[in-house]
Amino acid sequence: MKIGMAGAGLSCAVIARELAENGHEIRIYEKRNHIAGNCHTERDTESGVMVHIYGPHIFHTDDDEVWAYVNRFAEFKPYVNRVKATTKGQVYSLPINLHTINQFFGKTFSPAEAQAFIEQQADLSITEPQSFEEQALRFVGKDLYEAFFKGYTQKQWGVSPTELPASILKRLPVRFNYNDNYFFHRHQGMPAEGYTKMIAGILDHPNITVVLGESFSRDMLEQFDHVFYSGPVDGFYNYELGRLPYRTLDFVRSEAEGDVQGTAVMNYCDESVPYTRITEHKHFAPWESHDRSVCYTEYSRACGENDIPYYPVHLVQGDTVLEQYSAKAKAEPKVSFVGRLGTYRYMDMDVTIRAAMDTGRAWLAAYAR
Ligand code: UDP
């Protein structure tokens, strides 16, 4: 079959590979002049630092098949994400762990003491937290919420944490030990030569053609037996029902000699600081050594018409426009909407790969019937 695809990011790359290995012909249109979507990495020619051009991506998963898959296409190096946070004039460790709690409250608690203490702080009258704020007040209490989450979340999402769903905070654990690994998954690492090389490997198949610098448009539909679309679902319909809200990011790049902040990720949780975090990219590759450094200062704002959409904004109250677009998308006979933009979901890379594998296989199974 002749298959068209929109977008050469992780989703379409994985689906293309599944289908190509089963004899189908794939043509991918990518409007940017590079593959890999927002995972794109490029080595800075001057410093030699591998730069995560659209912001940092750290690979972590509990899915053994996904881990085997990425290791098939790239050499992974060990990397453990340890995030620091500056708030109220001090530096702490994230996710909130025993060190954070002891430092923040000036205590020397054991795990059991810390747990009992945090339970006193927690608002137990909230039995079924709906919003981000309720989730935080229920599980860490007012002081930690206001220091670490309230300001950062307001800056990141542009709305009050009372309007955001609890699911956003559920991404972050609270630990009553000194484990400061940001993720709890069994597998974690970084591709030694970056994500773009890994995705190039996935796309490297004689049945896959990638056309760079060209957008997929709906009038191309008739050229293909089926289309996988990883662009924004509202864009596919020319925004006829309005625009779905996204947050975009501005990265202010800076270069310097030496070690700028001593760590890969420093969050800035105070609302008075206009940016959310600073990332120092050479620390994402601790197996390398570079004299110079490249940093990104990250600002979040509402996504306008000509901006890159990063985070879909889901509110507690739901979104009827999204429901309408989803219904239209579901009814498309020849198009499957995939990935973060196609399905309007906040997806980690491992979830994206899993979803893409499942989509590709379901399509193959349906086609074979
Ligand atoms: N968050 C926060 N303070 C922090 C880090 C995270 O309030 O210092 C909140 C914020 O709302 C963020 C969410 O937790 O959007 C998820 O954090 P994560 O680090 O997973 O965000 P990502 O790296 O995916 O942007």
Side-chain angles (χ1 to χ4, degrees):
M1 287 246 195
K2 280 192 75 178
I3 308 295
M5 293 194 182
L10 256 188
S11 291
C12 283
V14 171
I15 298 170
R17 185 76 189 204
E18 290 285 331
L19 272 52
E21 287 179 353
N22 283 276
H24 299 281
E25 283 282 329
I26 326 294
R27 194 172 172 82
I28 306 181
Y29 294 88
E30 169 55 61
K31 74 172 181 185
R32 290 172 172 167
N33 61 6
H34 61 77
I35 61 163
N38 283 0
C39 310
H40 178 49
T41 44
E42 241 173 54
R43 213 175 260 292
D44 178 53
T45 43
E46 199 191 331
S47 63
V49 172
M50 186 64 82
V51 178
H52 298 221
I53 300 291
Y54 301 94
H57 284 71
I58 298 128
F59 200 90
H60 54 97
T61 190
D62 256 343
D63 187 324
D64 292 330
E65 194 189 359
V66 167
W67 183 239
Y69 188 88
V70 293
N71 278 276
R72 177 181 156 203
F73 294 105
E75 180 201 349
F76 269 72
K77 297 276 196 190
Y79 175 81
V80 176
N81 200 31
R82 302 188 196 282
V83 175
K84 301 286 179 265
T86 298
T87 184
K88 300 179 191 293
Q90 282 204 61
V91 178
Y92 297 91
S93 153
L94 280 185
I96 291 175
N97 61 68
L98 190 49
H99 206 160
T100 325
I101 295 167
N102 275 332
Q103 188 190 348
F104 187 81
F105 293 104
K107 302 287 185 191
T108 56
F109 288 139
S110 68
E113 287 165 349
Q115 194 155 0
F117 178 81
I118 294 298
E119 269 163 30
Q120 282 168 17
Q121 304 277 309
D123 183 345
L124 299 177
S125 69
I126 302 168
T127 48
E128 278 179 41
Q130 299 298 314
S131 70
F132 184 109
E133 181 169 286
E134 285 176 354
Q135 176 78 11
L137 293 175
R138 169 67 185 80
F139 289 98
V140 299
K142 187 166 174 285
D143 292 348
L144 290 171
Y145 165 60
E146 288 184 350
F148 293 100
F149 301 129
K150 195 176 178 186
Y152 187 101
T153 297
Q154 177 75 43
K155 291 188 288 186
Q156 169 72 12
W157 296 96
V159 292
S160 160
T162 55
E163 291 177 55
L164 292 163
S167 57
I168 297 178
L169 186 57
K170 286 183 189 157
R171 291 170 58 84
L172 305 185
V174 175
R175 300 213 182 93
F176 297 105
N177 57 35
Y178 289 98
N179 180 3
D180 62 351
N181 185 342
Y182 202 67
F183 303 115
F184 45 81
H185 286 150
R186 280 176 299 127
H187 310 294
Q188 189 173 170
M190 280 286 179
E193 286 305 319
Y195 291 102
T196 300
K197 185 154 183 245
M198 175 180 93
I199 293 172
I202 300 173
L203 291 167
D204 182 18
H205 189 284
N207 288 353
I208 302 175
T209 306
V210 179
V211 184
L212 291 180
E214 204 178 316
S215 292
F216 178 86
S217 67
R218 270 164 76 170
D219 54 26
M220 295 175 177
L221 276 176
E222 60 198 37
Q223 299 171 29
F224 300 103
D225 298 302
H226 195 83
V227 165
F228 292 87
Y229 185 87
S230 70
V233 60
D234 51 348
F236 184 84
Y237 294 105
N238 297 320
Y239 309 101
E240 62 188 40
L241 303 168
R243 283 180 179 263
L244 294 171
Y246 278 98
R247 299 295 285 174
T248 192
L249 300 173
D250 295 321
F251 299 107
V252 175
R253 181 180 166 131
S254 56
E255 287 167 34
E257 217 38 55
D259 193 355
V260 176
Q261 61 177 14
T263 194
V265 185
M266 176 67 78
N267 289 358
Y268 288 85
C269 302
D270 296 318
E271 211 178 337
S272 55
V273 177
Y275 41 87
T276 51
R277 57 186 176 186
I278 299 179
T279 51
E280 185 168 6
H281 292 226
K282 69 180 176 186
H283 294 304
F284 290 117
W287 63 93
E288 295 181 1
S289 118
H290 303 282
D291 295 335
R292 281 186 72 75
S293 200
V294 178
C295 291
Y296 271 20
T297 303
E298 201 169 314
Y299 297 80
S300 171
R301 62 179 169 81
C303 185
E305 282 186 26
N306 299 314
D307 297 320
I308 301 171
Y310 282 86
Y311 295 90
V313 184
H314 289 280
L315 301 178
V316 178
Q317 70 189 34
D319 188 333
T320 48
V321 176
L322 173 61
E323 284 165 20
Q324 287 168 331
Y325 277 127
S326 301
K328 282 170 86 75
K330 218 170 152 193
E332 277 310 322
K334 253 175 76 169
V335 185
S336 303
F337 292 83
V338 298
R340 180 176 55 91
L341 304 175
T343 63
Y344 199 69
R345 280 194 293 153
Y346 184 25
M347 290 163 92
D348 287 333
M349 285 181 287
D350 63 326
V351 175
T352 304
I353 294 174
R354 165 51 59 198
M357 280 175 164
D358 291 348
T359 301
R361 288 170 193 173
W363 185 86
L364 286 168
Y367 168 72
R369 273 201 294 274

